[in-house]
Amino acid sequence: MHGDNTELVRVRDLHFSRGTKHIFRGLSVDIPRGKITTILGPSGTGKTTLLKLIGGQLRGNQGTIHVDGLNVASLKRRELYQLRKRLGMLFQSGALLTDLSVFENIAFPLREHTDLPEKLISHLVLMRLHAVGLRGVRDLSPAELSGGMARRAALARALVFDPMMIMYDEPFTGQDPISMGILIELIKTVNKALGITSLMVSHDLAESLSISDYAVIISEGLVVEAGTPEQLRSSKSEWVQQFLQGKPDGPVPFQAAAPDYETELLGSLDRSGS
Amino acid sequence: MINYVAGVGRYWIDFLASVGRASLFLLNTLTALPSLFRRPALLVRQLHAIGVMTLSIVLVSGLFVGMVLALQGYNILIDFGQENRTGTLVALTLVRELGPVVTGLLFAGRAGSAITAEIGLMKATEQLSGLEMMAVDPFKRIFAPRFLAGFMAMPMLAAMFSAVGACGGYLLAVVALGVDSGAYWSLMQSAVNFIYDVGNGLVKGTVFGFVITWIAIYQGAESIPTSEGVSRATTRTVVYSSLAVLGLDFLLTAIMF
Ligand SMILES: Nc1ncnc2c1ncn2[C@@H]1O[C@H](COP(=O)(O)OP(=O)(O)O)[C@@H](O)[C@H]1O
Ligand SMILES: [Mg+2]
């Protein structure tokens, strides 16, 4: 089933809108196999939406998404589920099932999809828990975990089927420096030691660029710049520089699109006067 | 004028679209039901959460409603010297009307709101998306067990409401007001027809259970995934299902009795 090219995910001319809002207008991105790729962009550009499109939870209005040579939008339900078993996704909140213990959360995909004996399930789960350093909290409920621990538990769950790719949705948002360091190490290990293609979406620049092989910056539904982290840092685009350096004003205006300030102030005076 | 017509038109289109979505949702839930044969544990857990946990409020309410009916009935019937028939009045009112209707309203408030809030929060915390991405169908894992449990629990709860209500009536009429015990039960027994009264009451309970659980699950799954969105969805569940219970009760009564 492998495509003869090296990219695992190929997005071409993707259009997607929610209501009247155009989120993607002709997006084309390649995610290379075996690498860590980061998609960067301001909040609300549609990074989470893109992951859901790749996972087949949403359908684009136009354009194609191929994952491992399969056109996601044209898959039947069963084929899509088959594909999803080979993808892991780490949601921003962890998305652990709140009515199950940490152990049961990680065992969940195994219990749903296989008839493995209890002994083997326990073995597989403990291995994954050990890998993310959470063997000691297996009996806690997800609500008792810190945000960083919840993400690590979710990572263990995403790894339980040895997927070919893991998608991380903003893995570093709201983490203290120690959890951040642990997560960075884990993401690197998953990629380098297990050879799993990693696709990360983020707006935390420094952390994500430090571990990425390849990065893509998107804004307003299009790719602004793509390349290795070094190529991005030396980009001549003012927009990229503003984004990378976090300047408040520049090509991306500080003000959201609005009518002229002076006219609006004077206009409101007029109205209140009348 | 044109705006008005366009507004009415838009309202109708939106309304029909949401009816369509809700029906499709129901269809998907129904087709997921057979999967419960392989996973009966999921159903048992929901029967406990939805049925057993609603039992106490239903029993207490049933007792009091039965006592009030007996008191009111006795006060009227005694003027005609027919206070022996208090049991008949209590039983017929409960089995035909108040059993299913009051249980339906309590069920909407106790179980329906809980179902919506739970599913809405699962959506808001990305648990439903998470299931989808693990190739687990939320219709089979989450919606179908809740739907079947609500559908099965409601008529049983309504029957228990009526049974306890009849005992409450007994306490008041016989123990407190001195109606003859034998007359209370035997007149009740001869007046209540099993198929016609009890059967139709059970049909009502089943229909209410179907509609309330459908509304509750659908509102949860369609809620806007924020705290405000979930709270609004919960309110909608209680309002819509209460109205549906009262409206359907009128319709069913007109057809049945
Ligand atoms: N379920 C939804 N319904 C309507 N609009 C949505 C929904 N989810 C996201 N959006 C909108 O789509 C845009 C992109 O959202 P998202 O992909 O979550 O952005 P990001 O992850 O980059 O912050 C946002 O403007 C958001 O308001
Ligand atoms: Mg996001």
Side-chain angles (χ1 to χ4, degrees), chain A residues 259-274:
Chain A
D260 184 59
Y261 192 35
E262 207 169 308
T263 345
E264 196 163 27
L265 281 182
L266 293 175
S268 66
L269 280 183
D270 282 355
R271 246 175 279 139
S272 56
S274 64

Side-chain angles (χ1 to χ4, degrees), chain B residues 100-166:
Chain B
V101 171
V102 177
T103 308
L105 297 177
L106 292 170
F107 188 76
R110 168 65 182 77
S113 60
I115 293 174
T116 305
E118 187 188 17
I119 295 178
L121 280 173
M122 291 185 93
K123 185 176 180 187
T125 53
E126 298 179 307
Q127 292 183 55
L128 291 184
S129 281
L131 285 177
E132 286 250 9
M133 285 306 295
M134 286 189 283
V136 174
D137 187 351
F139 279 95
K140 290 184 183 156
R141 189 68 178 49
I142 307 290
F143 304 151
R146 284 167 177 74
F147 181 77
L148 189 58
F151 177 68
M152 287 167 63
M154 206 8 241
M156 293 195 245
L157 289 170
M160 285 188 252
F161 183 98
S162 300
V164 171

Side-chain angles (χ1 to χ4, degrees), chain A residues 98-106 111 122 125-126 129 134-145 153:
Chain A
T98 39
D99 56 342
L100 300 177
S101 69
V102 171
F103 181 95
E104 282 304 320
N105 258 287
I106 291 150
R111 294 198 199 284
S122 157
V125 171
L126 288 179
L129 277 174
L134 293 182
R135 209 155 35 87
V137 298
R138 74 186 97 157
D139 294 324
L140 295 189
S141 87
E144 295 171 283
L145 299 182

Side-chain angles (χ1 to χ4, degrees), chain A residues 220 252-261 264:
Chain A
E220 317 232 326
V252 183
F254 168 72
Q255 284 290 344
D260 184 59
Y261 192 35
E264 196 163 27

Side-chain angles (χ1 to χ4, degrees), chain A residues 18 21 23 41-50 92 169-170, chain B residues 225:
Chain A
R18 286 217 190 254
K21 191 168 169 192
I23 297 181
S43 299
T45 29
K47 300 184 297 296
T48 304
T49 308
L50 181 61
Q92 223 165 320
D169 191 0
E170 314 248 3

Side-chain angles (χ1 to χ4, degrees), chain B residues 219-233:
Chain B
Q219 290 296 339
E222 286 283 299
S223 63
I224 299 167
T226 59
S227 25
E228 196 198 2
V230 175
S231 110
R232 276 209 225 137

